[in-house]
Amino acid sequence: MNARAARLAVGSDDSASRGEAFIWSNSFDRPTLVLDPSIAVRNFHALREGLGRARIHYAVKANPAPEIISALAGAGSRFDAASRSEIELCLARGARPGDISFGNTVKKPADIAFAHRAGVSLFAADAEAELEKIAAHAPGSRVCIRLLVEASEADWPLARKFGCGRDMVLPLLARARALGLDAAGLSFHVGSQTRRAAMWVPVLDQVAEVWHQARAAGHDLRLLNIGGGFPAFYGERVESPARYGARVAKMLRDRFGEVPEIMAEPGRGLVADAGAIAAEVLLVSRKFARDMHRWVYLDIGKFSGLAETMDEAIRYQFVTRRDGEPTGPCILAGPSCDSADVLYEKHLVQLPLSLAAGDRILIRNCGAYTFTYASVGFNGFPPLDVVVI
Ligand SMILES: *Cc1c(COP(=O)(O)O)cnc(C)c1O
């Protein structure tokens, strides 16, 4: 596939890929995520082309499979880590310490000290006490103050947990300087799975206002960290990474002018379509004789890898060998004995009427936020297995 064809394939539902071919031509005795790191690399290049001179720090938590980290490091990606073990993983897989940022705003002091010793020099904070920790355990480091942004239209908003209000930004920048830190910039996250680039507008407007205010107040801001939020295809059309990235880059130029350093932290957008899950139908049933819909129970559920079906926020695509036959609406559920283990109930899923126990089912675009969300043996069901091709 040439580069252009590859870009066009992203964002359509026709990503039937090496991974999907692998699933149909093999059998699996438990739910298995099949990963193709070359797709993450392709997405990395496309997004980098779109974003222009912004540096890309892959958000490791989206998919910490060592092969994904190696492939992205080999392609020139940098990394954003949230803990000591994510930093160790990146280092072991070829990342240079100077290319790793420690973006979690809630860090263990011992992890900060470890990062500092390892050569990591960029940290995020959204509170005075966190700045004090950084100053104590990583003196002189660069810090970004994370701003809480509102009105996110993301499918998986990060809500209010991270970031500080705009009235805290200037005092925190001043405090960072007083503590001997390099108060280099601002960071934010627009919300995960921000489906359309246009949804960045209100968020960038808020951040730009604070950015210009801080500069006017004498803070020498040089680094703008635009976080993640780059979308994946889950059934609703999304722009390709190159196009989406280019639109975000233009919005940044319009609002911020020439920022010396821009960085982005894509997670989902790089890895979601690098993985597909092989699963199995365990039971198809009706609860009442006249039910219009069926219940379809799979061997994978909320506790074994599909945590992002919480509130039905992320809507995965299902493929069976019976596609093309007449379909009907189904409630989809996982195998565990917890009544919360229902995947889709508000929005029913159309599946073939002939679907039966024992049928295989493939779940598309599961490369982000799946296998690390699997519980450790809840109900005795194995966590999601991972195979890298
Ligand atoms: C999770 C996270 C990201 C990645 O978000 P996506 O929506 O997957 O792109 C980026 N930055 C930070 C600080 C994060 O916590």
Side-chain angles (χ1 to χ4, degrees):
M1 209 189 262
N2 65 33
R4 183 174 155 73
R7 274 205 303 284
L8 289 175
V10 176
S12 79
D13 60 357
D14 188 28
S15 52
S17 53
R18 283 201 317 139
E20 296 196 6
F22 181 89
I23 286 176
W24 293 126
S25 56
N26 286 278
S27 61
F28 305 89
D29 58 5
R30 55 162 153 153
T32 302
L33 172 66
V34 175
L35 285 177
D36 180 354
S38 73
I39 294 180
V41 168
R42 184 190 76 190
N43 290 335
F44 168 77
H45 287 303
L47 187 61
R48 183 157 73 171
E49 181 193 319
L51 282 173
R53 59 192 192 81
R55 298 192 310 243
I56 293 181
H57 287 240
Y58 168 60
V60 174
K61 77 172 187 288
N63 186 326
E67 296 87 346
I68 294 273
I69 306 299
S70 297
L72 286 172
S77 183
R78 300 168 189 230
F79 297 91
D80 183 64
S83 63
R84 171 174 180 154
S85 75
E86 283 190 358
I87 293 170
E88 287 173 323
L89 169 67
C90 294
L91 292 173
R93 290 285 156 167
R96 285 173 308 181
D99 289 346
I100 301 171
S101 53
F102 200 161
N104 191 346
T105 51
V106 186
K107 294 175 281 299
K108 264 188 191 297
D111 284 12
I112 298 173
F114 168 80
H116 182 60
R117 279 196 309 277
V120 173
S121 60
L122 177 59
F123 297 80
D126 62 8
E128 185 170 345
E130 191 71 15
L131 288 172
E132 286 163 3
K133 274 191 250 169
I134 297 169
H137 301 285
S141 293
R142 303 183 91 192
V143 288
C144 276
I145 302 299
R146 178 147 169 191
L147 178 64
L148 191 158
V149 289
E150 287 153 32
S152 168
E153 295 178 73
D155 284 355
W156 188 268
L158 300 179
R160 302 175 51 79
K161 181 167 174 184
F162 302 107
C164 62
R166 60 177 78 185
D167 60 342
M168 298 279 286
V169 171
L170 267 57
L172 287 177
L173 287 169
R175 182 77 184 122
R177 281 164 70 173
L179 287 164
L181 296 167
D182 173 12
L186 298 184
S187 66
F188 64 95
H189 195 301
V190 68
S192 203
Q193 186 63 9
T194 294
R195 258 177 294 112
R196 291 183 296 108
M199 294 172 172
W200 285 64
V201 166
V203 171
L204 292 182
D205 286 345
Q206 291 166 49
V207 180
E209 202 181 312
V210 178
W211 175 270
H212 293 301
Q213 228 172 41
R215 285 181 62 90
H219 294 288
D220 180 25
L221 298 186
R222 283 150 285 132
L223 172 59
L224 178 63
N225 177 353
I226 66 170
F230 302 87
F233 177 79
Y234 295 116
E236 279 184 77
R237 219 185 146 68
V238 291
E239 292 151 302
S240 72
R243 208 168 160 167
Y244 187 103
R247 292 189 54 192
V248 170
K250 170 153 192 342
M251 289 185 254
L252 290 171
R253 277 194 305 276
D254 291 347
R255 287 167 182 76
F256 293 86
E258 279 308 309
V259 177
E261 294 175 61
I262 297 178
M263 65 183 264
E265 301 170 331
R268 185 189 305 282
L270 294 194
V271 291
D273 62 350
I277 287 174
E280 187 183 317
V281 176
L282 299 183
L283 178 68
V284 181
S285 67
R286 288 176 204 270
K287 302 276 177 206
F288 301 95
R290 285 191 299 171
D291 261 356
M292 297 300 290
H293 58 258
R294 295 160 293 159
W295 281 73
V296 171
Y297 299 89
L298 305 179
D299 64 350
I300 183 170
K302 270 203 164 60
F303 302 104
S304 42
L306 301 182
E308 285 205 313
T309 56
M310 203 191 299
D311 299 328
E312 308 193 12
I314 298 297
R315 299 193 49 80
Y316 295 108
Q317 304 288 295
F318 299 88
V319 184
T320 74
R321 285 313 219 187
R322 301 180 192 270
D323 290 357
E325 297 179 20
T327 63
C330 300
I331 294 177
L332 219 57
S336 72
C337 301
D338 188 313
S339 59
D341 192 9
V342 174
L343 305 175
Y344 301 114
E345 178 168 36
K346 290 189 300 236
H347 298 94
L348 301 178
V349 178
Q350 289 289 325
L351 288 171
L353 294 171
S354 60
L355 195 73
D359 281 1
R360 302 179 61 198
I361 192 160
L362 182 153
I363 314 173
R364 280 195 165 150
N365 295 352
C366 289
Y369 304 115
T370 47
F371 75 93
T372 45
Y373 266 155
S375 66
V376 180
F378 176 52
N379 250 186
F381 294 109
L384 186 55
D385 199 11
V386 181
V387 170
V388 180
I389 56 171

